[in-house]
Amino acid sequence: MSALEPYIKKWYDSLRAGQILGVRCNRCGAYEFPPVPVCNTCSATDVEWAPISGNAELYSFAYSEMGVAPYTDEPVMCGYFKLAEGPELISWLMNADESRDAQEALLARLPVAVRAEIREMDENISWPVFRLVE
Amino acid sequence: MKGHLARPVSIIGAAYTTLGDVRSTPEIKDFSEHELYAQASLDAMADAGIEAGDIDAFYVGMSGPNYNSKIKSAGPHFSEWVGMRDKPTLFHDEACATAGFGLNQAVMAVASGTYDCVLSGAVNISFSVPKPAYPPHLRVAQDPETMWAGIWTGIDPAYEKPGTGGIGPVEAIIIRYAKQYGLTYRQIDEVLVNYLVAQRRTAMLNPKAALARVTYEDEAARFGFSDVHEYLFSNKYNPPLGTLIRGRFMGASTDGASAVVVCASEVARNYTDQPIEVAGFAMGTALQKRFMNVPVPSDVAMFKQAYQMAGITDPLNEVEWMGIHDCPATMVPPVSEAAGYIEEGQAWKYMLEGRVGFDGDKPIDTDGGRTQTGHPGSPAFGVEVAEAVYQMRGQAGPRQIPRPPRTSVIWGGGTGFNLAVSVLKTA
């Protein structure tokens, strides 16, 4: 196994620079996102950095009354997303109506298309969040 | 039947990262716990010739996760970093003996038939901590007071902590040893300083020892000493932490990770030509007060159990390499003798005469040990296992002992105290 890079720092630095990166396996083509140094589909360690399209589907969601420390004390709608490239991610769903009725209506339509964008969470961290495409 | 494995288990891969400081050591610069654990684990898999898909479970050891890394129950955090998505894990903390317990638990899991193959690793970062609530690449310097307060939480707060400082047991045991064998304090100081100088020379042959880059002789000269011993006897450059324990007799704290891959011996050769069998092992406990005894009773019990399991009846002649958690170096004489590796009352002479180096007749910690190659905390035992594996395979490079050992024994101890022994044999 060759020497690893500092994956986490590189990923957050790239988000800060406006890029959403994952890694793609050079053996089976599967993506890992956020990036890790080994393919969880075929176990290969021959992976390389690759951009993510930002296209995804919302599969489930959870409404956090507690907010997400240390970034906000306000309630957050957290989405469970599956990227077009395959990997899964939890993040913020930015433009959903949080009322119970609206949530039930959204639930009936799952999965629905969403699109990633980079949000500056605070002075330290940027993070990929998602919006409903409609 | 008690004390016997239901089926034989072998180590097929072992590795550890460069031991240094993630804030400055180039090989691990800007690594978090995740990258360190992944580097050691993926290196161990590569060493074994196995891929993650053939491994059934992964264990993650970490000393003081709450105060060091601000995490808890964190095994799953590392799953995808080693290709083990959705697979079972165990997250555990036995202080500096953590990796020994991880290895032994992995061996039991395979021997029982629960799994065929297990990855067992450990990781610690000591010099820095994540900025609270942020991702782990954003780090701040570890506050020494907080770190030491965290380490002391390993001492029983009910019946021991009010009565002792942290150095207590590891100094008490060498004072008891001195009493038992009629040694003066000055003799003990000479033994330990001699050991340090020899171990620094060894560590300089180990590319993973990022903190050992100059000989003690050169370091002494830089501070105006023509005699390295006088340099290491000086209270200014080797400050006392007790009466016999000096700062440099302790392990040199580092960041790092280690990992081993074990599997059923019946399939080991599917992966490697040189499997190393875990022929015996044992675990024990010792409250701090038990270190008034030389040997420590639980050490005696552990070596007896491990040797019985491994079929060793004459350790003095059968064991050919020993790894001892030498933080501090005062543990080497009592433990090497408890193991029967060196005759009772003789280990101090072997250390004084330089006979425990890789070119000596009783090699101990030929990676350079914790005082010189570095002490990464929970991965320590794994570093010693890796060195044993490399020596047994004849792959230790310039540190290779002339005839690769056929039987090796590793002893580890971690605040609490948690104690572990492993006996390895060339399969």
Side-chain angles (χ1 to χ4, degrees):
Chain A
M1 179 66 199
S2 55
L4 298 187
E5 296 176 274
Y7 273 71
I8 296 174
K9 182 177 189 306
K10 182 170 177 174
W11 189 64
Y12 279 100
D13 286 351
S14 69
L15 287 166
R16 212 66 178 164
Q19 263 193 311
I20 306 178
L21 296 177
V23 297
R24 187 179 58 238
C25 175
N26 284 327
R27 184 157 75 188
C28 75
Y31 280 75
E32 292 289 345
F33 180 82
V36 291
V38 57
C39 175
N40 279 269
T41 300
C42 79
S43 304
T45 52
D46 180 11
V47 298
E48 66 179 346
W49 292 85
I52 294 296
S53 67
N55 297 322
E57 286 185 314
L58 176 70
Y59 267 68
S60 188
F61 48 83
Y63 182 65
S64 171
E65 279 282 353
M66 297 183 288
V68 178
Y71 311 108
T72 181
D73 295 330
E74 298 296 315
V76 171
M77 183 71 99
C78 301
Y80 288 67
F81 305 102
K82 191 174 179 69
L83 302 185
E85 291 83 358
E88 300 161 343
L89 181 75
I90 310 174
S91 187
W92 296 12
L93 179 60
M94 302 303 297
N95 59 339
D97 185 335
E98 295 161 356
S99 69
R100 288 179 69 92
D101 288 348
Q103 285 190 32
E104 287 196 324
L106 182 60
L107 177 65
R109 294 166 45 221
L110 293 182
V112 297
V114 293
R115 174 90 192 142
E117 64 185 36
I118 297 173
R119 177 185 174 87
E120 192 172 310
M121 307 289 273
D122 64 12
E123 69 278 14
N124 297 301
I125 291 296
S126 294
W127 176 261
V129 297
F130 292 80
R131 285 184 186 277
L132 298 166
V133 168
E134 59 206 8
Chain B
M1 189 191 343
K2 176 181 163 183
H4 292 270
L5 298 179
R7 61 173 176 168
V9 180
S10 292
I11 294 173
I12 56 173
Y16 58 99
T17 65
T18 295
L19 304 181
D21 183 339
V22 295
R23 297 169 304 173
S24 58
T25 302
E27 296 91 334
I28 54 174
K29 177 103 172 40
D30 293 325
F31 276 27
S32 70
E33 292 81 353
H34 297 66
E35 285 97 347
L36 286 173
Y37 181 79
Q39 181 79 71
S41 298
L42 296 173
D43 282 348
M45 289 185 218
D47 183 55
I50 196 170
E51 291 190 340
D54 285 343
I55 298 176
D56 301 307
F58 67 103
Y59 298 170
V60 183
M62 185 179 289
S63 181
N66 295 72
Y67 66 84
N68 277 321
S69 298
K70 316 298 183 197
I71 53 178
K72 66 183 282 286
S73 54
H77 305 187
F78 299 89
S79 58
E80 296 191 354
W81 286 80
V82 292
M84 305 290 285
R85 178 179 292 152
D86 297 337
K87 290 188 178 178
T89 189
L90 169 73
F91 190 68
H92 60 108
D93 175 5
E94 290 81 24
C96 307
T98 297
F101 280 75
L103 169 61
N104 291 345
Q105 294 298 329
V107 170
M108 286 192 279
V110 173
S112 72
T114 306
Y115 304 126
D116 278 336
C117 191
V118 175
L119 164 72
S120 184
V123 57
N124 262 125
I125 295 181
S126 304
F127 289 125
S128 59
V129 295
K131 194 175 161 71
Y134 279 99
H137 69 293
L138 298 177
R139 307 189 78 85
V140 294
Q142 170 78 288
D143 163 36
E145 278 187 24
T146 306
M147 181 184 77
W148 283 111
I151 290 171
W152 299 150
T153 60
I155 302 171
D156 172 30
Y159 290 156
E160 293 221 302
K161 194 153 185 298
T164 183
I167 294 301
V170 289
E171 175 151 289
I173 194 169
I174 199 67
I175 287 179
R176 185 66 214 169
Y177 183 89
K179 163 74 177 168
Q180 209 147 304
Y181 299 112
L183 302 175
T184 65
Y185 279 14
R186 178 67 182 187
Q187 281 177 302
I188 294 290
D189 218 12
E190 285 174 358
V191 164
L192 298 177
V193 161
N194 243 50
Y195 178 72
L196 246 56
V197 173
Q199 286 296 77
R200 173 65 68 86
R201 290 195 196 109
T202 301
M204 289 184 64
L205 300 173
N206 185 345
K208 300 284 180 70
L211 302 185
R213 290 293 184 251
V214 297
T215 63
Y216 265 134
E217 287 82 352
D218 288 346
E219 190 177 309
R222 192 190 309 156
F223 293 105
F225 287 84
S226 56
D227 182 337
V228 66
H229 294 83
E230 290 309 315
Y231 169 64
L232 290 168
F233 287 143
S234 77
N235 287 349
K236 180 176 179 185
Y237 295 102
N238 197 6
L241 301 178
T243 302
L244 291 177
I245 303 277
R246 295 175 178 274
R248 291 165 186 268
F249 298 161
M250 302 297 289
S253 288
T254 69
D255 306 331
S258 65
V260 294
V261 182
V262 300
C263 76
S265 295
E266 66 208 37
V267 295
R269 287 188 187 276
N270 293 347
Y271 303 105
T272 178
D273 293 335
Q274 292 182 294
I276 304 294
E277 187 182 349
V278 183
F281 65 88
M283 292 165 283
T285 57
L287 287 169
Q288 297 216 2
K289 63 186 177 185
R290 302 294 277 162
F291 284 70
M292 72 171 75
N293 304 286
V294 175
V296 172
S298 43
D299 283 344
V300 174
M302 286 194 304
F303 285 118
K304 182 181 176 189
Q305 180 188 323
Y307 289 159
Q308 208 160 29
M309 195 184 285
I312 291 174
T313 55
D314 180 14
L316 190 64
N317 292 304
E318 290 180 62
V319 177
E320 297 175 334
W321 184 93
M322 192 160 184
I324 296 176
H325 184 69
D326 58 348
C327 177
T330 52
M331 299 311 292
V332 175
V335 171
S336 59
E337 294 175 18
Y341 184 55
I342 296 177
E343 303 92 327
E344 281 181 19
Q346 301 299 306
W348 67 275
K349 292 181 193 165
Y350 279 74
M351 294 169 74
L352 198 60
E353 294 163 4
R355 294 169 66 184
V356 299
F358 65 88
D359 52 356
D361 55 329
K362 287 288 177 181
I364 292 173
D365 290 343
T366 52
D367 67 297
R370 305 291 60 79
T371 66
Q372 304 305 318
T373 291
H375 186 351
S378 64
F381 197 102
V383 174
E384 290 139 22
V385 167
E387 176 68 9
V389 168
Y390 302 155
Q391 290 285 355
M392 295 173 85
R393 289 176 181 163
Q395 295 174 341
R399 307 185 313 280
Q400 180 65 49
I401 66 178
R403 194 180 72 175
R406 293 161 296 185
T407 300
S408 298
V409 173
I410 302 110
W411 173 93
T415 305
F417 271 83
N418 305 276
L419 301 168
V421 167
S422 294
V423 180
L424 310 184
K425 283 187 171 181
T426 308

